[in-house]
Amino acid sequence: MKVFVYHTPELTPENSLPDCAVVIDVLRATTTIATALNAGAEAVQAFSNLNQLMEAAEAWLPEKRLRAGERGGAKVEGCDLGNSPLDCTPELVGGKRLFISTTNGTRALQRVEKAATVIAAAMVNRQAAVNYLLTTQPETVWFVGSGWEGSYSLEDTACAGAIAVSLIQQFKSSAATIAGNDEVIAAIALYSQWQDKLLEMFHHSSHGQRLLRLGGDEDLKYCATTDMLEVLPIQKEPGVLIKY
């Protein structure tokens, strides 16, 4: 297995795709997707375009859908939800399809939607992603961070490092053996420095500070919790993720 880390979807190679793409948007899209599926959502359908989301959602009965829209960290007017995982309770999302569009994470999903396998990972379901990779042994794996509007996000790279560290430990291997690019080594170093104080790191990050200004303290605490969920979102068809 060769692992590659790309800090944003824009940095991925244009003319190739991996055997498995691991999309990461810790704050907050992939955390929210995993939480929604864990709470009993039928599926999560991701869109980079809000108009396409609204059009697709119209084809579903109102009682069977939820529209989740976020731009700039805030809920989009006309949507049922924003992008907070804390809103995804079993009472609200159980049996429903979540139609979601976020500033960054859904763009990353769209970039790799044609890969053979696409999974969504965050700190909350880190070990579920590791277990899947250990079981399926894909030859090439891309960790695709969502970033923020095309720029680097600390927390996404730290999560990639968290998955890589666990893979190395369980393979009884070394970073040099699995690393396909230098970014893997950097991600491992970042996670190793902050692994015992992830919430503090999130508070330092630009998007973490953005969410704090919007009152997202509890979201940050939730997103910084490692290995809380056993659910793994996996793409069933382009843009549609279900519980693995």
Side-chain angles (χ1 to χ4, degrees):
M1 184 188 301
K2 279 292 181 184
V3 172
F4 300 79
V5 169
Y6 298 103
H7 299 309
T8 69
E10 291 81 4
L11 292 172
T12 57
E14 288 187 11
N15 299 314
S16 64
L17 285 166
D19 296 307
C20 179
V22 184
V23 175
I24 300 169
D25 186 4
V26 175
L27 299 177
R28 295 165 290 174
T30 54
T31 303
T32 298
I33 290 167
T35 303
L37 291 173
N38 186 70
E42 173 263 333
V44 178
Q45 190 163 347
F47 300 84
S48 57
N49 183 284
L50 280 165
N51 291 330
Q52 291 174 353
L53 180 156
M54 294 300 187
E55 186 177 332
E58 281 301 314
W60 287 68
L61 292 172
E63 62 269 23
K64 289 292 185 181
R65 73 178 186 217
L66 286 167
R67 296 163 296 187
E70 171 265 313
R71 289 294 184 270
K75 176 184 168 185
V76 173
E77 187 177 350
C79 287
D80 305 298
L81 301 171
N83 187 22
S84 172
L86 299 180
D87 290 338
C88 296
T89 62
E91 296 77 17
L92 184 62
V93 305
K96 297 177 183 177
R97 176 165 294 209
L98 189 68
F99 295 84
I100 189 169
S101 180
T102 71
T103 307
N104 305 293
T106 48
R107 288 190 305 110
L109 283 163
Q110 188 175 55
R111 165 64 189 93
V112 294
E113 66 182 11
K114 293 181 181 177
T117 303
V118 179
I119 61 175
M123 289 298 184
V124 292
N125 70 333
R126 186 271 306 257
Q127 192 57 48
V130 171
N131 292 344
Y132 179 83
L133 295 172
L134 289 171
T135 301
T136 57
Q137 297 276 330
E139 190 172 332
T140 56
V141 180
W142 289 3
F143 295 130
V144 184
S146 299
W148 177 264
E149 296 184 343
S151 61
Y152 174 88
S153 278
L154 199 63
E155 65 279 355
D156 292 345
T157 299
C159 183
I163 299 171
V165 164
S166 188
L167 285 173
I168 290 165
Q169 290 171 346
Q170 294 183 56
F171 269 136
K172 295 181 171 54
S173 183
S174 68
T177 302
I178 72 163
N181 61 2
D182 286 355
E183 287 89 334
V184 177
I185 309 300
I188 289 169
L190 178 66
Y191 173 70
S192 298
Q193 179 175 345
W194 290 96
Q195 58 184 316
D196 297 322
K197 42 187 178 179
L198 289 173
L199 182 58
E200 182 183 341
M201 186 192 74
F202 288 5
H203 279 243
H204 284 300
S205 71
S206 58
H207 192 31
Q209 291 177 25
R210 191 177 293 110
L211 290 175
L212 287 171
R213 289 193 295 271
L214 292 167
D217 307 58
E218 294 303 314
D219 273 10
L220 288 186
K221 290 177 186 176
Y222 182 89
C223 293
T225 307
T226 304
D227 302 337
M228 175 170 47
L229 305 179
E230 295 181 1
V231 66
L232 182 71
I234 189 166
Q235 182 174 262
K236 179 179 73 168
E237 58 189 79
V240 178
L241 296 132
I242 60 171
K243 184 177 179 179
Y244 175 73

